[in-house]
Amino acid sequence: ETGVTQTPRHLVMGMTNKKSLKCEQHLGHNAMYWYKQSAKKPLELMFVYSLEERVENNSVPSRFSPECPNSSHLFLHLHTLQPEDSALYLCASSQEPDLNTEAFFGQGTRLTVV
Amino acid sequence: ILNVEQSPQSLHVQEGDSTNFTCSFPSSNFYALHWYRWETAKSPEALFVMTLNGDEKKKGRISATLNTKEGYSYLYIKGSQPEDSATYLCAFITSSGYALNFGKGTSLLVTP
């Protein structure tokens, strides 16, 4: 257990559906992240939140919408996704966004868009 | 996009062998270098965070070195065990960045 919990672990959704991924950490960290891993690619940063404010949006399509209601929770809202969005979505947190200490990761949500 | 290169892509060794992997990264604006171990169906877990040129860190049979001037880090595993089988990820962050830039990882398989 890393202290970062993601739900659901697996999700299958149609292209017209709306769903949300949830991430929760009770480590007292100030920064939270969404990463995407597609097959044969490195982990790609999607969003960074520091003290509940979005500090980086890495050119992610608007069909992905993040939300950080407090420092312990991070959501990724999904709508009208494409099959190529099928991937593993990882949440992470760190004490501070400057990352001179380790990041803690959840186990990820395996998303399949059909 | 800041490229992080890891080699080899995959590695298969026998139990008891020692092995090492390489991570190459841009040397300008360096801030920190992270190594993570990612076992199948689990979360990536941090091994080391290194910030200073010449850093050497050790955790049990695993150690890492850092050269920020030439932009590389080595991860060493001494006397590999089957439980070391995992993907080893390298990631770095620049002084102006907010998040880690990852390599594709080195997939290690250790067989008895």
Side-chain angles (χ1 to χ4, degrees), chain A residues 25-94:
Chain A
Q25 59 92 4
H26 295 289
L27 300 169
H29 289 171
N30 294 319
M32 295 188 78
Y33 312 80
W34 279 116
Y35 279 90
K36 173 185 177 182
Q37 190 186 41
S38 306
K40 308 291 186 187
K41 290 187 176 181
L43 286 171
E44 299 173 58
L45 177 69
M46 299 178 74
F47 302 103
V48 182
Y49 276 82
S50 174
L51 296 171
E52 302 152 41
E53 284 194 29
R54 193 190 312 178
V55 296
E56 189 152 330
N57 176 345
N58 207 25
S59 302
V60 178
S62 59
R63 57 186 183 269
F64 295 92
S65 175
E67 178 190 2
C68 188
N70 55 62
S71 60
S72 299
H73 294 87
L74 185 65
F75 295 90
L76 188 62
H77 303 301
L78 316 171
H79 64 98
T80 59
L81 294 192
Q82 304 298 311
E84 59 264 30
D85 296 322
S86 299
L88 180 70
Y89 291 84
L90 280 169
C91 172
S93 70
S94 64

Side-chain angles (χ1 to χ4, degrees), chain A residues 1-2 4 9 33 35 37 40-45 48 50 55-56 88 90 97-108, chain B residues 9 31-34 36 38 41-51 89 93-94 96-105:
Chain A
E1 284 295 330
T2 63
V4 180
R9 293 287 308 278
Y33 312 80
Y35 279 90
Q37 190 186 41
K40 308 291 186 187
K41 290 187 176 181
L43 286 171
E44 299 173 58
L45 177 69
V48 182
S50 174
V55 296
E56 189 152 330
L88 180 70
L90 280 169
D98 64 359
L99 283 163
N100 63 357
T101 57
E102 65 196 281
F104 291 77
F105 285 84
Q107 290 184 280
Chain B
Q9 184 175 344
Y31 186 71
L33 189 285
H34 294 216
Y36 290 84
W38 194 359
K42 294 188 177 181
S43 313
E45 290 192 25
L47 290 171
F48 305 110
V49 177
M50 308 170 79
T51 57
L89 298 173
I93 183 168
T94 65
S96 57
Y98 283 105
L100 295 167
N101 298 277
F102 281 88
K104 291 184 180 181

Side-chain angles (χ1 to χ4, degrees), chain A residues 37 40-43, chain B residues 4-11 21-23 35-36 38 86-91 101-108:
Chain A
Q37 190 186 41
K40 308 291 186 187
K41 290 187 176 181
L43 286 171
Chain B
V4 180
E5 299 291 335
Q6 290 190 247
S7 62
Q9 184 175 344
S10 63
L11 196 54
F21 323 133
T22 303
C23 172
W35 281 100
Y36 290 84
W38 194 359
T87 296
Y88 291 82
L89 298 173
C90 165
N101 298 277
F102 281 88
K104 291 184 180 181
T106 292
S107 177
L108 173 68

Side-chain angles (χ1 to χ4, degrees), chain B residues 54-68:
Chain B
D55 252 355
E56 290 189 31
K57 296 212 170 180
K58 187 175 181 181
K59 184 183 291 188
R61 294 179 290 99
I62 304 176
S63 60
T65 62
L66 177 66
N67 183 322
T68 62

